[in-house]
Amino acid sequence: EAGVTQFPSHSVIEKGQTVTLRCDPISGHDNLYWYRRVMGKEIKFLLHFVKESKQDESGMPNNRFLAERTGGTYSTLKVQPAELEDSGVYFCASSQDRGLWSYNEQFFGPGTRLTVL
Amino acid sequence: AQSVTQLDSQVPVFEEAPVELRCNYSSSVSVYLFWYVQYPNQGLQLLLKYLSGSTLVKGINGFEAEFNKSQTSFHLRKPSVHISDTAEYFCAVSEGNTGFQKLVFGTGTRLLVSP
């Protein structure tokens, strides 16, 4: 069974440009999460989809970030326009839905390293 | 709000020596606790987790951790490390009693095992 995949693995762009990151969760996983790690700091939650709906987007830094999950399958995270402080590693994770009161392990992708110059 | 503290950013150790990676958390509610490992150029992999029950939990690759509620700690241990354990280790917490909560991570500890 394929794991969580992310594309691209690396992206180098200039300040002001637009970048779109993609995440393909494990097949059948309704929950999809985005996290970000800025260099040397903790991995921080960005948002959580349940199928195509945003369950929690409390971690999105500002309105330059737009996440979508059309059809409840893969997800994209667009940064427009990119700023220097957006540099970091963006992780995607997915989990099954065994119910609200059950533990649902999150499986992580390898991440996308974004560098904004 | 929950938070996780990993005071050691880097831990150097010789092969076959024991190691302990420290993790302390703060939360006003019951929590689930996790250790994740990231090997070079790979994603985060779950090493072990505490959900409830026995406070000593065993994970993959010979690692174990002990949940100490009074000290709000969840330290990771291994009695004898290998070169292949060189990686970055992240402690994380999520709100207990529900399976959909976001993970709150510490800043990570880089374990460097040398021969």
Side-chain angles (χ1 to χ4, degrees), chain A:
Chain A
E1 179 182 341
V4 177
T5 57
Q6 294 186 245
F7 181 83
S9 57
H10 294 84
S11 180
V12 181
I13 62 173
E14 294 193 351
K15 176 182 171 180
Q17 289 186 319
T18 297
V19 64
T20 300
L21 312 181
R22 174 171 169 144
C23 168
D24 286 77
I26 293 172
S27 177
H29 282 194
D30 287 341
N31 293 294
L32 188 148
Y33 302 80
W34 283 98
Y35 294 86
R36 176 176 75 170
R37 188 185 192 198
V38 173
M39 183 178 293
K41 299 201 171 181
E42 70 271 32
I43 301 169
K44 280 194 171 180
F45 167 83
L46 296 178
L47 87 160
H48 168 208
F49 283 100
V50 178
K51 296 183 180 178
E52 66 273 10
S53 300
K54 292 176 185 175
Q55 179 77 12
D56 180 356
E57 51 184 327
S58 60
M60 294 289 266
N62 50 61
N63 59 12
R64 295 186 294 103
F65 289 76
L66 175 64
E68 294 181 322
R69 193 182 182 195
T70 307
T73 54
Y74 70 91
S75 174
T76 58
L77 180 64
K78 181 189 287 188
V79 185
Q80 179 182 28
E83 298 289 345
L84 298 179
E85 63 264 26
D86 300 332
S87 295
V89 180
Y90 290 76
F91 292 101
C92 176
S94 71
S95 71
Q96 287 183 307
D97 181 358
R98 293 198 183 95
L100 183 61
W101 308 110
S102 299
Y103 165 66
N104 301 293
E105 180 178 342
Q106 293 184 33
F107 294 86
F108 282 79
T112 292
R113 182 174 296 276
L114 174 64
T115 303
V116 183
L117 303 175

Side-chain angles (χ1 to χ4, degrees), chain B residues 9-84:
Chain B
S9 60
Q10 193 163 290
V11 173
V13 64
F14 288 109
E15 193 175 18
E16 297 183 8
V19 71
E20 178 180 85
L21 305 184
R22 296 179 294 167
C23 172
N24 287 86
Y25 69 94
S26 67
S27 176
S28 58
V29 298
S30 62
V31 294
Y32 293 157
L33 293 157
F34 309 86
W35 276 98
Y36 281 85
V37 59
Q38 185 181 22
Y39 298 104
N41 301 315
Q42 295 186 29
L44 295 166
Q45 180 181 1
L46 182 64
L47 203 54
L48 49 77
K49 62 184 181 288
Y50 171 79
L51 304 181
S52 64
S54 172
T55 57
L56 182 64
V57 293
K58 294 187 183 298
I60 60 172
N61 301 338
F63 283 93
E64 63 180 33
E66 185 154 21
F67 169 54
N68 187 319
K69 188 175 181 179
S70 63
Q71 297 187 3
T72 60
S73 69
F74 191 55
H75 301 330
L76 181 70
R77 302 185 184 97
K78 185 169 183 178
S80 175
V81 294
H82 300 132
I83 296 285
S84 59

